[in-house]
């Protein structure tokens, strides 16, 4: 478990570094950075799956797709949903929208709870209901101040639940499903690289990118590997709790990049942070109860 906690924290730190790293890749735009990230991450993901002897997940899903062609359409949909999220993660820091994306990641655990309640009929605990209430206060303030939540916040907060629901519907919520998602993104990634301001033939005009682009692949792939290792070494509840580390770091990166939280916005962020804290307390209690029950 100690290794799992360490792996999760390292993964979160690396994803936050990746968030900042996008700003160092000029003159690449967000779409090209997304393309390079996709292109470079896929071989590392493939190697991890095969070295950890989990290739049966890929092979089983491939066999199911041959028997049920409708699953191919589902895989295209989940790949597109994931691709939009990966693009947004690289695009936001370059356009002063990092805080909006980080707010989406703070709201994500709550929209996942809401999805579980509405889609799967899961019952919420008292603390989860209280957390949802605080989050609603924060969202209401944002609606009053701006008239709406930003599209970046909404895309993260509601896009990922839709992605996970579809993956579960396909019975592909595993590494096999992720492998196909990334594989299907490769053509889009290649197109974005070729069509962007610095295509393959123009790289020689920006020699610094010869070092920066491979490092992008190393950061992205290493973060993904640590995330996977953490998921395999931790109870699901504790793994979920440690997932709150990343949005905290993303806020710090956004502030480092010069974005600010205005006076009125604090009434959005503070209730949402309280909601996340309540979920951490609830999850910690559940983890302790589980550990005591297994003794």
């Amino acid at each position: 478990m100690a290794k799992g906690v360490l792996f999760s924290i390292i993964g979160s730190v690396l994803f936050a570094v990746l968030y900042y790293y996008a700003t160092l890749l000029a003159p690449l735009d967000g779409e090209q950075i997304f393309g390079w990230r996709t292109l470079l991450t896929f071989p590392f993901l493939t190697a991890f799956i095969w070295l950890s002897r989990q290739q049966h997940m890929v092979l089983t899903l491939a066999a199911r797709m041959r028997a049920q062609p409708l699953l191919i359409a589902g895989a295209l949909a989940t790949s597109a949903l994931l691709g939009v999220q990966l693009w947004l993660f690289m695009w936001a820091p370059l356009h002063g929208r990092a805080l909006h994306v980080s707010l989406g990641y703070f709201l994500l655990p709550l929209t996942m709870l809401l999805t579980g309640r509405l889609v799967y009929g899961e019952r919420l605990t008292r603390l989860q209901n209280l957390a949802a209430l605080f989050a609603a206060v924060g969202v209401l303030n944002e609606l009053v101040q701006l008239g709406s939540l930003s599209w970046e916040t909404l895309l993260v907060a509601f896009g990922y639940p839709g992605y996970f629901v579809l993956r579960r519907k396909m019975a592909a919520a595993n590494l096999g499903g992720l492998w196909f998602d990334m594989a299907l993104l490769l053509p889009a990634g290649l197109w974005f690289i070729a069509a962007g301001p610095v295509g393959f033939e123009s790289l020689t005009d920006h020699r610094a990118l010869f070092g920066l682009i491979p490092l992008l692949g190393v950061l992205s792939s290493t973060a993904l590997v640590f995330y996977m290792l953490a998921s395999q070494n931790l109870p699901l509840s504790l793994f979920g709790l440690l997932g709150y580390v990343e949005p905290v770091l993303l806020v710090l990166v956004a502030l480092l990049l010069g974005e600010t939280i205005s006076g009125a916005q604090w009434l959005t962020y503070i209730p949402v942070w309280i909601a996340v804290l309540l979920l951490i307390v609830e999850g910690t209690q559940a983890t302790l109860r589980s550990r005591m029950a297994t003794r």
Side-chain angles (χ1 to χ4, degrees):
M1 187 177 295
K3 284 184 179 180
V5 171
L6 179 62
F7 291 157
S8 178
I9 292 174
I10 291 174
S12 293
V13 170
L14 288 175
F15 278 122
V17 170
L18 188 64
Y19 208 42
Y20 179 83
Y21 192 77
T23 64
L24 305 179
L25 293 170
L28 298 182
D29 60 17
E31 287 73 26
Q32 281 196 302
I33 297 173
F34 157 76
W36 279 112
R37 183 185 178 187
T38 301
L39 188 66
L40 296 172
T41 299
F42 179 72
F44 282 93
L45 173 62
T46 302
F48 175 82
I49 291 174
W50 257 258
L51 289 174
S52 59
R53 299 181 179 180
Q54 300 183 74
Q55 62 267 35
H56 63 278
M57 295 182 181
V58 175
L59 301 175
T60 298
L61 184 54
R64 290 179 56 221
M65 286 180 177
R66 286 195 296 270
Q68 301 172 269
L70 189 60
L71 288 176
I72 298 175
L76 289 169
T78 58
S79 181
L81 289 170
L82 178 62
V84 169
Q85 298 294 343
L86 297 180
W87 163 78
L88 181 61
F89 191 86
M90 297 283 83
W91 176 89
L94 302 178
H95 294 82
R97 309 297 287 179
L99 273 176
H100 292 275
V101 170
S102 67
L103 179 59
Y105 278 101
F106 274 116
L107 288 173
L108 180 57
L110 296 147
T111 55
M112 292 291 284
L113 284 178
L114 182 63
T115 300
R117 181 72 182 92
L118 297 178
V119 178
Y120 301 111
E122 298 173 357
R123 297 183 63 85
L124 303 184
T125 66
R126 184 178 302 175
L127 281 178
Q128 287 173 342
N129 278 311
L130 187 58
L133 179 61
F134 273 101
V137 170
V139 170
L140 182 61
N141 177 71
E142 193 77 358
L143 293 175
V144 170
Q145 298 298 327
L146 300 177
S148 66
L149 291 173
S150 73
W151 65 267
E152 298 95 341
T153 298
L154 290 171
L155 187 57
V156 173
F158 291 98
Y160 270 118
Y163 168 74
F164 288 121
V165 166
L166 186 52
R167 283 275 297 272
R168 183 179 291 191
K169 182 73 173 177
M170 296 168 58
N174 54 41
L175 285 175
L178 179 60
W179 187 89
F180 274 102
D181 286 342
M182 294 301 296
L184 292 170
L185 284 174
L186 289 176
L190 288 168
W191 187 86
F192 280 129
I193 293 171
V198 185
F200 291 106
E201 70 284 350
S202 304
L203 282 176
T204 53
D205 298 329
H206 306 277
R207 295 190 179 276
L209 293 176
F210 281 96
L212 293 172
I213 288 175
L215 186 54
L216 170 70
V218 171
L219 283 172
S220 180
S221 304
T222 306
L224 184 61
V225 167
F226 274 109
Y227 181 80
M228 292 176 180
L229 290 173
S231 70
Q232 294 173 354
N233 285 273
L234 290 173
L236 185 60
S237 55
L238 182 55
F239 177 66
L241 288 178
L242 289 168
Y244 297 128
V245 172
E246 185 179 337
V248 172
L249 296 177
L250 296 185
V251 168
L252 295 178
V253 171
L255 297 177
L256 183 64
L257 292 174
E259 297 189 40
T260 58
I261 300 176
S262 66
Q265 283 182 307
W266 284 109
L267 292 176
T268 295
Y269 280 89
I270 289 176
V272 171
W273 290 342
I274 292 174
V276 170
L277 181 61
L278 289 170
L279 292 181
I280 291 174
V281 171
E282 194 272 341
T284 302
Q285 291 177 345
T287 300
L288 292 175
R289 287 195 299 267
S290 177
R291 289 184 64 184
M292 291 178 65
T294 56
R295 288 180 179 177

